[in-house]
Amino acid sequence: MTDFHGGWLLPLIYTAGFILLCLRDHEQWQLARTTATAGLLATGAMTLLALVWAQLAPLRVDAPGLTVALLVALLGWVIVNYSSRYLNGEPNQVRFIRAMVFTLAAVSVLVTSRNLLVIVLAWTGTSVGLHYLLTFYHERKAAQIVAHKKFLVSRFAEVCLAIALLLVYQSVGTLSLDGLNEYLSSAASLPTALHWAALLFALAAILKTAQLPLHGWLIQVMEAPTPVSALLHAGIVNMGGFILIRLADLLSLAPAAQWALVVVGSLTAVLAGLVMLTRISIKVRLAWSTCAQMGFMLMEIGLGLYELALLHLVAHSLYKAHAFLSAGEAVRTARSNDLLSPGASKRTPVWYLAAVGLSAALVAGSTAAWQFFLPSLSVPPVALLVVTLGLAPLLWMEQQSNGELLIRGVLQILALTQLYLLWHVAFAALAPAPADVASPLVAWVMLSFVVLYGTQVWLRCHPQGRFARAFYPWAYCGFYLDETYTRLTFKIWPVKLSATQAQTLAIRESALQGEPL
């Protein structure tokens, strides 16, 4: 069977664009926009070509790689065009353009390559390009501190990746994904070295996707321009999940890596989800949301639900790009979901339990109907539980009974459930087959999301209660996890400020102390 890796045009186009940008000092934005447009058109054409050829000839398509390559091309085109307007009049635009195109080139290499060494090098290159984008306003002390924290986390992750590559090569004799998967399909059991390699790959993804307690750099990158936030949250931070999907055959045989992903991911999803609801700044709230969603994605991968993780990756990328590039419009919607909103709930906990019951009935009924017409459809119970709890808030009517609102909530749940099942069927054909996992992992995840839902309900019913008043300061401060990590990192490797930054900091400290300037 012939292999079709149709995404290879995208890294070539972005690499050529970056080289031309370095050779020319004028018309930089025009060249960047042309590069992004050419990348989108070429990748879209290759995707259509792959779909046609797959119907006419025996063709094996790299479906995950081509899907994410198309996503990268689309996001790159949107963000580059948005940046050309957003940064109009700013100094150092040439530096920004080159760093942006370089980063997009590195990401495109990462998603299209099937060699682990190339993937790791591209992942490192993505981190380097992002460092320049995060420090676009290099005179800002906060931007330098955040970039320093991310630098340390990324280098630690790359040490884990380097060791994992050595272990894979020692055991398999190749760093090709195809060679690794062929070895795993014929191996009677997983060697100890590959168990450790899988765990190290999982740890690197945990570090690079800003899981608690090493999440602070992701929350504090708001010193960078908005297009950088959109690129980071919609694209780059998702790459950890994509690489783990690439390594699905290895992870499915490594229980230790699965446990690490599920436990860390679920805890991050729960805690970050609660913290997000306490924040006022819309961009900070979106950053905490990204942290929670990355935890959710890693949890799905740990559970062996690779098709759901790929769906989550694509949906989250599109949503976050739109959310950051139109953050002002999201303020009104976000304020209605505050953890301790001024208008206290007039409902009792029984009402919220009834909402869960009705949501569960609608989700289960829809799934049963789909399975009647499509018997091959299989949706894991843990996924149905998460969908049920996620859609139940659509029935949270804070005022007295209103039949119109109830009907609208029911229709919304039905519509979103059909959309979820539709995308589930579509992405099941793109991602690796689901893996079997231990029952305690599934039980842990179910308990985590029940606790998350129950905590939100209790806080809404008793917003001024003893628990709420004790819990809110801790949640608002992110449970002080980042402060502990920051103190530790600065002791190990202090950040070095430029002379301008040090002078600015000294002036601010003198002003705070009432000393003459």
Side-chain angles (χ1 to χ4, degrees):
M1 182 178 289
T2 306
D3 289 340
F4 182 88
H5 304 295
W8 56 269
L9 270 177
L10 185 62
L12 287 180
I13 291 172
Y14 272 121
T15 301
F18 174 71
I19 294 173
L20 290 175
L21 284 168
C22 292
L23 296 177
R24 299 174 62 178
D25 292 328
H26 59 284
E27 297 180 346
Q28 295 276 304
W29 278 119
Q30 181 179 349
L31 181 55
R33 288 193 297 267
T34 301
T35 300
T37 302
L40 177 60
L41 294 176
T43 309
M46 296 299 281
T47 302
L48 292 176
L49 187 61
L51 293 175
V52 173
W53 279 7
Q55 300 299 320
L56 301 178
L59 186 68
R60 183 171 59 192
V61 178
D62 178 19
L66 194 55
T67 300
V68 180
L70 183 60
L71 175 66
V72 170
L74 175 61
L75 293 178
W77 178 74
V78 171
I79 292 173
V80 167
N81 280 278
Y82 181 92
S83 300
S84 65
R85 301 187 300 272
Y86 182 88
L87 293 174
N88 185 28
E90 288 278 358
N92 299 323
Q93 291 188 49
V94 172
R95 178 175 180 264
F96 178 91
I97 296 169
R98 292 173 179 173
M100 175 66 74
V101 175
F102 173 83
T103 304
L104 289 170
V107 172
S108 62
V109 170
L110 186 156
V111 302
T112 56
S113 176
R114 295 191 60 81
N115 183 282
L116 285 174
L117 178 59
V118 175
I119 289 173
V120 169
L121 291 176
W123 208 3
T124 303
T126 301
S127 178
V128 172
L130 182 60
H131 184 86
Y132 281 95
L133 291 172
L134 292 177
T135 56
F136 176 73
Y137 297 118
H138 55 85
E139 72 282 357
R140 297 183 180 180
K141 171 177 169 283
Q144 290 293 331
I145 291 176
V146 169
H148 177 74
K149 291 166 65 175
K150 186 193 180 300
F151 179 87
L152 296 180
V153 171
S154 296
R155 300 298 81 79
F156 184 34
E158 285 149 17
V159 170
C160 295
L161 291 171
I163 298 174
L165 290 180
L166 291 175
L167 292 173
V168 170
Y169 189 80
Q170 177 187 10
S171 302
V172 184
T174 180
L175 293 177
S176 166
L177 280 173
D178 297 324
L180 174 61
N181 293 338
E182 182 179 353
Y183 172 86
L184 294 173
S185 64
S186 60
S189 61
L190 196 64
T192 303
L194 289 184
H195 274 287
W196 280 105
L199 185 58
L200 287 169
F201 278 123
L203 178 58
I206 287 171
L207 292 169
K208 292 247 186 182
T209 53
Q211 298 299 279
L212 272 59
L214 309 179
H215 62 289
W217 64 268
L218 181 66
I219 309 301
Q220 298 156 2
V221 296
M222 303 311 159
E223 293 291 333
T226 294
V228 177
S229 298
L231 177 66
L232 170 61
H233 290 263
I236 294 176
V237 77
N238 293 279
M239 291 302 99
F242 175 76
I243 291 173
L244 293 181
I245 294 173
R246 285 287 208 202
L247 294 167
D249 290 353
L250 175 62
L251 293 173
S252 298
L253 300 174
Q258 291 176 329
W259 271 96
L261 291 171
V262 169
V263 172
V264 175
S266 60
L267 287 175
T268 299
V270 171
L271 295 178
L274 290 172
V275 173
M276 177 190 70
L277 299 178
T278 68
R279 294 305 177 130
I280 299 174
S281 168
I282 186 61
K283 285 190 176 181
V284 174
R285 178 173 293 193
L286 288 172
W288 277 103
S289 171
T290 297
C291 185
Q293 294 298 325
M294 292 301 99
F296 197 2
M297 186 188 304
L298 295 187
M299 180 200 73
E300 291 168 337
I301 294 172
L303 290 173
L305 305 177
Y306 304 113
E307 74 282 3
L308 295 183
L310 183 60
L311 168 59
H312 198 155
L313 187 155
V314 173
H316 177 261
S317 295
L318 295 174
Y319 164 70
K320 276 295 159 62
H322 175 267
F324 269 99
L325 297 181
S326 59
E329 299 176 4
V331 173
R332 183 175 59 182
T333 301
R335 285 182 61 86
S336 66
N337 296 319
D338 286 345
L339 183 62
L340 297 179
S341 57
S345 172
K346 297 182 179 180
R347 298 291 185 181
T348 64
V350 175
W351 172 262
Y352 295 101
L353 292 177
V356 173
L358 180 55
S359 177
L362 295 171
V363 171
S366 298
T367 305
W370 274 72
Q371 290 174 334
F372 178 80
F373 294 102
L374 190 64
S376 60
L377 175 64
S378 175
V379 184
V382 64
L384 292 178
L385 174 67
V386 173
V387 171
T388 296
L389 295 177
L391 296 179
L394 293 174
L395 302 172
W396 286 6
M397 296 178 297
E398 302 303 334
Q399 304 302 322
Q400 297 302 318
S401 298
N402 187 316
E404 182 180 347
L405 291 177
L406 180 61
I407 293 174
R408 186 175 67 179
V410 168
L411 292 177
Q412 287 176 332
I413 291 178
L414 285 173
L416 291 173
T417 302
Q418 311 318 307
L419 183 61
Y420 163 75
L421 293 171
L422 175 64
W423 282 103
H424 176 79
V425 171
F427 276 81
L430 301 177
D436 296 328
V437 296
S439 298
L441 277 179
V442 177
W444 169 271
V445 170
M446 289 184 170
L447 177 62
S448 298
F449 282 91
V450 168
V451 169
L452 174 60
Y453 185 84
T455 303
Q456 293 183 65
V457 167
W458 186 266
L459 291 171
R460 293 185 74 88
C461 292
H462 307 283
Q464 304 300 326
R466 181 180 301 177
F467 173 74
R469 292 190 174 279
F471 179 81
Y472 182 86
W474 282 83
Y476 182 80
C477 295
F479 303 99
Y480 300 99
L481 295 173
D482 181 57
E483 287 75 9
T484 303
Y485 165 69
T486 301
R487 286 194 296 268
L488 178 62
T489 54
F490 284 4
K491 287 182 180 179
I492 297 174
W493 193 340
V495 62
K496 294 182 179 180
L497 301 176
S498 66
T500 303
Q501 293 165 340
Q503 183 180 5
T504 302
L505 180 60
I507 292 174
R508 289 179 179 176
E509 290 179 348
S510 298
L512 290 174
Q513 296 173 4
E515 298 177 2
L517 300 179

